[in-house]
């Protein structure tokens, strides 16, 4: 059972006068990545081939991720009626592929895979909370709050399976930390940049990773407040096996917040020069 459906959203409350134009490209790009959740479920099926409990859970998880894409895609089409969600997604699907036939995790073990999944859900849970807090548009606020709650439940789901696998695989804190740090830095890879390209640039425009990740990050990083990173860092610490509310987590959150602000300025300057050159 899903916790909500598209019909639960008050679409008729949409107010174009409250839309921040810089949020629209982010929502379009996020819709692509979310809708691709069913491909990740196929990959997870291969990695957890003999675990029917995990199969059932990951299928349900993927249904929710696809719904996140559909809710965001529908909102983006209200905010920008020229946006064709399904054709943008078809371009994304054609150009960005994950190995759905893998029979072992690219993270080296099943526990490693689950740590990586926890990090992804931490990132999405913090991000949609940040967007919900930043926007004054009531429909986007509702959509982002519903999605953020799902993402937090997804974190708990993968964390519960992680605890089960850690009893068998005994992954050390250090190994978990390496996976977590690796996955956290992948946010600037092609998954989001190419999603930004397919959903915001016209067909025929050549894909340029740097331009696209700049377009995405310069806008996305603006919306983080310290509270979002503090909560996210606690979740990451938990996935790695450290105390989520200790001094170390708080210090790491302060460092992450400074890093985000610094990188945001860097991306903002790069975005300004792309705009000036256009
Ligand atoms: Fe999601
Ligand atoms: Fe999720």
């Amino acid at each position: 059972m899903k916790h909500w459906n598209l019909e639960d959203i008050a679409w008729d409350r949409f107010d174009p006068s409250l839309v921040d134009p810089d949020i629209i490209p982010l929502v379009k790009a996020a819709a692509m990545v979310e809708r691709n959740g069913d491909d990740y479920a196929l990959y997870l099926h291969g990695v957890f081939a003999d675990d029917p409990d995990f199969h059932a859970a990951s299928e349900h998880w993927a249904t929710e991720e696809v719904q996140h894409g559909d809710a965001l895609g529908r909102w983006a089409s209200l905010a920008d009626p020229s946006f064709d969600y399904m054709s943008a997604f078809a371009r994304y699907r054609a150009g960005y592929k994950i190995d759905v036939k893998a029979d072992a995790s690219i993270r080296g073990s099943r526990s490693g895979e689950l740590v990586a999944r926890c990090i992804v859900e931490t990132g999405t849970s913090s991000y949609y909370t940040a967007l919900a807090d930043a926007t004054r548009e009531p429909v986007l606020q509702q959509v982002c709050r519903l999605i953020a709650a799902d993402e937090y439940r997804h974190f708990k789901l993968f964390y519960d399976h992680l605890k089960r696998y850690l009893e068998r695989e005994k992954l050390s804190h250090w190994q978990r930390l390496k996976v977590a740090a690796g996955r956290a830095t992948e946010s600037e890879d092609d998954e989001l940049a190419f999603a930004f390209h397919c959903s915001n640039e016209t067909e025929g425009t050549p894909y340029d990773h740097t331009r696209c990740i700049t377009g995405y990050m310069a806008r996305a990083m603006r919306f983080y407040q310290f509270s979002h990173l503090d909560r996210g860092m606690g979740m990451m610490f938990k996935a790695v096996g450290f105390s989520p509310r200790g001094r170390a987590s708080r210090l790491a959150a302060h460092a992450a917040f400074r890093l985000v602000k610094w990188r945001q300025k860097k991306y903002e300057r790069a975005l300004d020069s792309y705009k000036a050159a256009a």
Side-chain angles (χ1 to χ4, degrees):
M1 277 283 287
K2 285 188 281 198
H3 290 84
W4 54 278
N5 288 299
L6 292 185
E7 302 78 58
D8 298 328
I9 295 163
W11 298 105
D12 57 344
R13 291 184 62 214
F14 178 71
D15 184 344
S17 70
L18 296 177
V19 175
D20 173 351
D22 271 330
I23 278 192
I24 305 173
L26 300 177
V27 173
K28 290 177 180 173
M32 306 289 103
V33 178
E34 294 282 355
R35 197 170 214 282
N36 215 21
D38 48 3
D39 249 10
Y40 277 96
L42 288 176
Y43 161 77
L44 289 173
H45 266 215
V47 173
F48 292 86
D50 57 358
D51 185 342
D53 277 358
F54 187 81
H55 278 194
S58 64
E59 252 160 49
H60 178 76
W61 162 81
T63 314
E64 294 192 337
E65 298 296 8
V66 171
Q67 179 168 276
H68 297 170
D70 291 347
L72 295 164
R74 185 158 166 189
W75 183 87
S77 305
L78 285 176
D80 173 6
S82 72
F83 177 57
D84 184 342
Y85 167 53
M86 286 317 288
S87 78
F89 181 67
R91 281 169 66 202
Y92 183 63
R93 188 79 139 190
Y96 181 78
K97 295 201 186 300
I98 60 165
D99 182 7
V100 296
K101 295 205 174 72
D103 56 8
S105 170
I106 53 167
R107 311 291 163 188
S109 65
R110 291 184 179 183
S111 304
E113 183 61 45
L114 291 163
V115 170
R117 297 318 312 168
C118 285
I119 300 307
V120 172
E121 303 297 345
T122 299
T124 52
S125 153
S126 312
Y127 183 51
Y128 292 112
T129 305
L131 284 188
D133 289 346
T135 187
R136 290 171 55 229
E137 200 295 304
V139 180
L140 184 62
Q141 220 172 58
Q142 186 188 8
V143 167
C144 288
R145 296 239 181 270
L146 288 169
I147 296 179
D150 279 353
E151 308 297 19
Y152 187 65
R153 276 189 291 271
H154 294 165
F155 172 88
K156 287 205 286 194
L157 166 81
F158 290 123
Y159 182 72
D160 285 345
H161 285 277
L162 171 63
K163 280 194 293 190
R164 188 159 64 84
Y165 273 98
L166 281 173
E167 283 170 20
R168 297 186 217 167
E169 294 182 337
K170 312 272 182 233
L171 212 63
S172 69
H173 286 113
W174 171 243
Q175 287 167 308
R176 287 156 77 181
L177 183 63
K178 265 204 316 198
V179 173
R183 185 58 190 88
T185 55
E186 282 169 28
S187 62
E188 296 183 23
D189 285 0
D190 275 330
E191 185 180 39
L192 270 171
F194 191 64
F196 185 90
H197 169 69
C198 296
S199 56
N200 288 287
E201 299 185 330
T202 49
E203 212 166 348
T205 308
Y207 172 56
D208 176 333
H209 173 85
T210 310
R211 183 186 63 229
C212 293
I213 202 67
T214 300
Y216 189 86
M217 290 296 175
R219 294 176 175 94
M221 285 178 162
R222 264 182 223 157
F223 298 116
Y224 284 105
Q225 300 169 30
F226 176 70
S227 61
H228 306 129
L229 293 176
D230 193 30
R231 186 169 157 274
M233 195 56 76
M235 290 163 75
M236 284 175 72
F237 266 55
K238 191 169 168 167
V240 172
F242 297 138
S243 163
R245 286 186 227 296
R247 209 171 118 78
S249 170
R250 182 46 74 98
L251 282 173
H254 278 290
F257 186 60
R258 276 198 299 275
L259 182 68
V260 165
K261 291 287 143 199
W262 175 70
R263 290 193 64 76
Q264 196 278 329
K265 283 202 188 83
K266 204 170 143 251
Y267 277 123
E268 188 90 51
R269 281 195 296 272
L271 183 61
D272 285 345
S273 39
Y274 278 117
K275 282 181 182 166

